[in-house]
Amino acid sequence: MTSSTTSIGLGSMIAADLRMSIGYAEKLCLDIPPDTFGHIPIKNVNHPLFNIGHLGLYAENTLGLIGREDLALKIDPEQVELFKNGAPCLEQDGCYPSKDRVLKNFVDRYKIVADELPRVTDEFFTRPNPMSGQLPEMLPTVGAVVMFMCGSHLQMHLGQISVWRRVMGMGSCM
């Protein structure tokens, strides 16, 4: 590794990837009409409203993981129940917030995460993952779980939106 590579820091690298994912999410969602954003076109396909709402929960968790609990918002317990891991994706019948609200929350909150990541030291990322359950076995350090939350987790759910677009006959957003 060269000194220029190490001076950038892991947080800056994660932030660059996260900013690309935020932009991709915005492109995926831009031309979806609000009245179909929460539609389930076929069984077992999560709609964009659910995916973006679900992802939005994890920006706050990520702020906590990187030691910026002071910037994390308290999440409405009803939102947690609607969008938490394992919650069912339901047809939008008024049970979910609007497209604009969930998308704005997602974009605004992840931009804050992206702004804060470069300030996190590489040493901080080597700390043990403080979460409970099986996740620390799979992602043993703060850095590993933050990379998952800001990379793989986002792309996994954004890929679901890409599939939803195709099922809805919308095609690629690129």
Side-chain angles (χ1 to χ4, degrees), residues 103-173:
L103 192 55
K104 181 177 180 357
N105 178 71
F106 169 88
V107 170
D108 291 353
R109 302 310 295 164
Y110 273 107
K111 282 183 178 179
I112 291 170
V113 173
D115 289 345
E116 291 302 314
L117 281 167
R119 296 181 177 101
V120 180
T121 66
D122 287 355
E123 292 76 25
F124 189 92
F125 283 123
T126 65
R127 292 182 180 180
N129 178 347
M131 302 171 92
S132 59
Q134 290 183 323
L135 203 55
E137 293 172 25
M138 296 180 283
L139 304 168
T141 63
V142 168
V145 74
V146 169
M147 286 190 331
F148 172 75
M149 290 298 179
C150 293
S152 302
H153 185 240
L154 285 175
Q155 288 300 321
M156 185 171 43
H157 289 291
L158 295 179
Q160 291 177 342
I161 297 173
S162 181
V163 169
W164 180 94
R165 289 179 60 87
R166 284 160 172 79
V167 169
M168 292 291 290
M170 296 184 73
S172 173
C173 69

Side-chain angles (χ1 to χ4, degrees), residues 84-105:
K84 70 182 179 182
N85 184 32
C89 178
L90 307 170
E91 184 74 28
Q92 170 64 307
D93 62 359
C95 62
Y96 293 112
S98 69
K99 171 190 176 179
D100 289 342
R101 182 172 166 199
V102 296
L103 192 55
K104 181 177 180 357
N105 178 71

Side-chain angles (χ1 to χ4, degrees), residues 21-40:
S21 294
I22 294 167
Y24 181 51
E26 289 178 302
K27 286 179 188 175
L28 280 170
C29 296
L30 180 67
D31 63 343
I32 301 172
D35 63 335
T36 59
F37 199 65
H39 174 60
I40 301 172

